[in-house]
Amino acid sequence: MKKWTAALVSSAVTVSLVTGCGGGEDKSGAGKAADSNLNETGFPIVKEPIKLTFFTGKAATTANNWNETEIWKEYAKMTNINVDFQLVPFDNLTEKRNLALASGDYPDAFHTTKLTAQDLVKYGTQGTFVKLNDLIDKYAPNFKKILDENPEIRKGITMPDGSIYAFPLLYDPDFTSVLMRGKLWYNKEWLDALGMKEPTTLDEFYEYLKAVKNTDLNKNGKADEIGYGGVGLSDMLAKLKGSYGLMNRGSSNGNFDIDPKTNEIRFIPTDDRYKELLQYVNKLYTEGLIDKEITTIKSNQFYAKGAGNVYGSMVTTSPFTLMKLQSFVGVPVLNGPHGDGIYSGIYSPITQIGAFVITDKNKNPEATVRWMDYFYSEEGNKMFFMGIKDKSYTETADGKVQYTDEITKNPQGLTLEQAVVKYVTWPGGSYPGIVRQKFFQGAEAQPESMEAAKKIEAGLVKEVWPPFSFTDAESEKLISLGNDITTYITEMETKFMTGSAPFSEWDKYVSTLKKMGLDEYVNIYKASYERYKK
């Protein structure tokens, strides 16, 4: 596990700078008399059944009702804890989550709701989220073991007031494929039919997309081939930034990296090379090489359209598991116009810092911590990803696990992820726990995904920053400044790429950002970066 050290040092080392500062009221109950209904070890977790309600994020690709999913029915029997998962689609998750928190009408815990470090600081110091430090020490032996063996993880999830407010989603740092969170793929059958070699530069990738658009490669007699498809343009940008030498510290702080000329922190969305990247994507879009619906299409629509075999390339976790497309392979690192050839679309193993929080409404925080901790263990990890033994998976005498034919060769023609959601709820991501390759057999662990990851490993950035964290005052300022700044950047990126705003307005775009407080915004990140370096 040595690699954790290099990847996980967080700017939350501000803890050492603010020792003694007050945080939120400790409502954990860890110092109080133990609940007489609680079993401190083993199963069931509580002697008499209790009910908990979780506000829960859910991907559009998973049509299952979590309350009817086999894993949670089985876990309720094991624990005596019955969870009511109140499901909220990811598409409007942030809005509904923030509304619930602002109104005070929220349940016992937030599960799979993508809370940021700023959210944790804000609601943790207010006392809305329970401080977990003592609860983890006493009731979370599996998670505590990870923290004790890897102090950098503890630093990475500790807020500047010294408190831990959430259980995170962690990725094993050796599991490179999953750290990429989707890859850029191309249709090898189509490339071969065109008689072209695998693209290794942006220019060659452009030529491939152009050839796709102009050829009836799916042989249906229609001019319906599309060079590139996806949900929005942000995924394409993320995968191509490295071709311009951008995002050279990974994706966890996507707008910031290090300028190699000055060795200082750089704000990417105003850099001239970023302008070049937007111009490149604009060329693809205006020439009709990108799906014309890309800015409006939803995830489920994209998967359905992709299954119709119309795309020549895409960014997704796996075309095979999501669309049953077996002819796609990973695009290698694409060299850009300045000779840059790095792959920067990789994240810190601390993947979702706020994957699970307990609120001050919860009357059973100790039991809830025990409920969550199980999924950081080997057995809990296996259950979470594989489901129920001899129903959704089989296990050999030497401990190797594999899904049953119902999952991998579904008689109704369902994809792996469509079939497995009868038993588990990991498809869609952002859940709390740890992803180990040993048990995770989703899209990123499939052979084509592992091969795609291997193809670009040599070009990976050498240092990956974790998500930065900030003091309460910094967080407040980032919220007041950052929402407007990031919204404006996103709007203008799309306008530049689709041509609704000409690049002659670039200087106006940059000056508008400065008027919105960009310098102060960047200085907060610089301060966090300086703490991180120390």
Side-chain angles (χ1 to χ4, degrees):
M1 298 270 305
K2 188 174 181 181
K3 285 189 179 180
W4 289 104
T5 304
L8 290 175
V9 179
S10 168
S11 64
V13 294
T14 47
V15 171
S16 63
L17 303 178
V18 293
T19 302
C21 292
E25 180 184 352
D26 186 354
K27 299 183 181 182
S28 67
K32 304 172 186 176
D35 183 349
S36 61
N37 192 39
L38 179 74
N39 290 317
E40 295 194 11
T41 59
F43 288 116
I45 291 174
V46 289
K47 296 163 187 152
E48 297 297 326
I50 62 171
K51 182 176 179 180
L52 298 173
T53 303
F54 292 174
F55 184 111
T56 309
K58 180 175 176 293
T61 53
T62 55
N64 59 318
N65 179 352
W66 285 29
N67 296 304
E68 298 299 323
T69 304
E70 293 295 325
I71 180 181
W72 300 125
K73 291 194 289 186
E74 179 66 21
Y75 197 48
K77 295 175 187 175
M78 292 167 57
T79 60
N80 260 352
I81 298 174
N82 298 290
V83 174
D84 176 16
F85 293 98
Q86 299 181 340
L87 300 173
V88 179
F90 281 161
D91 287 344
N92 55 359
L93 174 66
T94 301
E95 177 187 358
K96 290 198 172 184
R97 183 194 68 208
N98 292 345
L99 181 62
L101 286 165
S103 68
D105 184 17
Y106 50 82
D108 298 303
F110 285 83
H111 189 296
T112 314
T113 51
K114 303 184 181 183
L115 289 154
T116 66
Q118 288 93 323
D119 294 325
L120 300 183
V121 169
K122 177 181 178 180
Y123 295 106
T125 54
Q126 289 177 3
T128 301
F129 297 159
V130 170
K131 181 177 177 179
L132 299 174
N133 302 53
D134 293 339
L135 286 165
I136 289 169
D137 286 343
K138 191 168 183 181
Y139 300 108
N142 300 301
F143 186 55
K144 183 177 185 297
K145 184 174 186 288
I146 294 174
L147 300 186
D148 290 346
E149 291 177 350
N150 305 277
E152 292 76 17
I153 301 177
R154 187 184 293 273
K155 290 179 183 178
I157 64 169
T158 302
M159 296 299 101
D161 67 349
S163 301
I164 297 172
Y165 294 114
F167 286 94
L169 167 58
L170 302 174
Y171 286 174
D172 184 336
D174 291 324
F175 194 178
T176 306
S177 177
V178 79
L179 289 172
M180 294 173 182
R181 297 194 203 170
K183 305 169 188 69
L184 180 58
W185 306 83
Y186 74 90
N187 190 324
K188 189 175 187 304
E189 282 186 7
W190 287 9
L191 185 85
D192 292 343
L194 291 165
M196 304 178 76
K197 70 181 184 69
E198 184 174 72
T200 58
T201 68
L202 289 177
D203 287 341
E204 291 171 354
F205 185 59
Y206 162 74
E207 293 297 335
Y208 165 68
L209 300 186
K210 189 163 63 171
V212 166
K213 180 179 184 293
N214 296 322
T215 311
D216 184 17
L217 291 161
N218 58 20
K219 302 187 185 306
N220 64 358
K222 302 176 183 178
D224 58 353
E225 285 78 5
I226 301 168
Y228 174 85
V231 181
L233 288 160
S234 59
D235 285 336
M236 173 178 265
L237 289 179
K239 302 310 175 188
L240 298 184
K241 282 179 181 177
S243 300
Y244 288 86
L246 300 170
M247 211 161 68
N248 54 42
R249 294 301 186 272
S251 299
S252 296
N253 300 283
N255 284 334
F256 293 89
D257 69 352
I258 291 295
D259 188 333
K261 295 179 181 178
T262 64
N263 207 33
E264 298 291 332
I265 198 166
R266 170 173 61 181
F267 186 65
I268 293 172
T270 56
D271 191 82
D272 287 341
R273 289 205 176 185
Y274 195 60
K275 177 183 177 183
E276 290 182 46
L277 170 57
L278 296 179
Q279 288 172 324
Y280 174 80
V281 177
N282 171 257
K283 179 174 74 168
L284 303 184
Y285 188 86
T286 54
E287 292 187 20
L289 309 185
I290 293 176
D291 189 354
K292 63 182 180 181
E293 298 178 335
I294 199 164
T295 59
T296 58
I297 197 168
K298 302 296 183 184
S299 296
N300 57 340
Q301 297 170 324
F302 165 61
Y303 298 136
K305 192 170 184 176
N309 196 29
V310 297
Y311 293 131
S313 67
M314 62 179 73
V315 172
T316 189
T317 51
S318 168
F320 174 71
T321 58
L322 292 168
M323 307 174 203
K324 290 195 153 185
L325 298 171
Q326 301 190 38
S327 59
F328 279 74
V329 299
V331 175
V333 175
L334 297 173
N335 290 306
H338 304 287
D340 298 290
I342 61 172
Y343 187 88
S344 56
I346 189 164
Y347 289 79
S348 159
I350 300 180
T351 303
Q352 283 285 341
I353 196 168
F356 183 84
V357 299
I358 299 171
T359 75
D360 58 351
K361 301 281 183 74
N362 193 313
K363 306 299 184 186
N364 301 277
E366 298 89 354
T368 308
V369 166
R370 288 208 59 214
W371 184 97
M372 183 64 248
D373 179 62
Y374 181 62
F375 297 106
Y376 291 94
S377 72
E378 287 267 325
E379 283 301 310
N381 212 212
K382 179 166 58 178
M383 181 180 185
F384 185 76
F385 289 111
M386 301 303 299
I388 312 301
K389 187 177 180 181
D390 298 326
K391 289 186 178 181
S392 56
Y393 77 93
T394 58
E395 185 170 6
T396 61
D398 60 357
K400 292 182 180 178
V401 295
Q402 62 180 19
Y403 286 127
T404 59
D405 286 350
E406 179 191 355
I407 309 300
T408 59
K409 302 174 184 178
N410 186 264
Q412 281 78 46
L414 300 177
T415 66
L416 185 149
E417 292 196 5
Q418 288 171 336
V420 81
V421 294
K422 173 182 176 182
Y423 297 97
V424 295
T425 56
W426 59 258
S430 299
Y431 42 76
I434 182 169
V435 179
R436 298 181 176 102
Q437 189 177 340
K438 180 179 179 181
F439 300 121
F440 182 75
Q441 296 190 16
E444 294 89 348
Q446 298 306 302
E448 69 275 8
S449 292
M450 299 300 290
E451 183 61 32
K454 184 178 180 181
K455 187 184 287 188
I456 56 182
E457 277 184 352
L460 287 175
V461 294
K462 304 305 179 186
E463 180 184 353
V464 179
W465 282 343
F468 287 167
S469 62
F470 306 92
T471 65
D472 195 20
E474 288 171 340
S475 293
E476 288 184 12
K477 184 60 69 173
L478 282 176
I479 291 170
S480 64
L481 289 172
N483 289 342
D484 289 341
I485 287 173
T486 54
T487 297
Y488 178 67
I489 289 170
T490 301
E491 290 174 354
M492 291 305 298
E493 281 175 344
T494 301
K495 287 181 178 180
F496 283 131
M497 288 185 289
T498 59
S500 60
F503 283 95
S504 58
E505 293 185 8
W506 180 263
D507 290 342
K508 179 183 176 183
Y509 154 75
V510 174
S511 64
T512 300
L513 283 171
K514 289 187 177 294
K515 291 175 184 176
M516 295 173 74
L518 179 62
D519 289 342
E520 186 176 6
Y521 180 77
V522 171
N523 283 336
I524 293 172
Y525 269 87
K526 284 183 176 179
S528 181
Y529 170 63
E530 289 302 319
R531 294 192 296 260
Y532 162 75
K533 285 199 300 183
K534 293 177 182 178

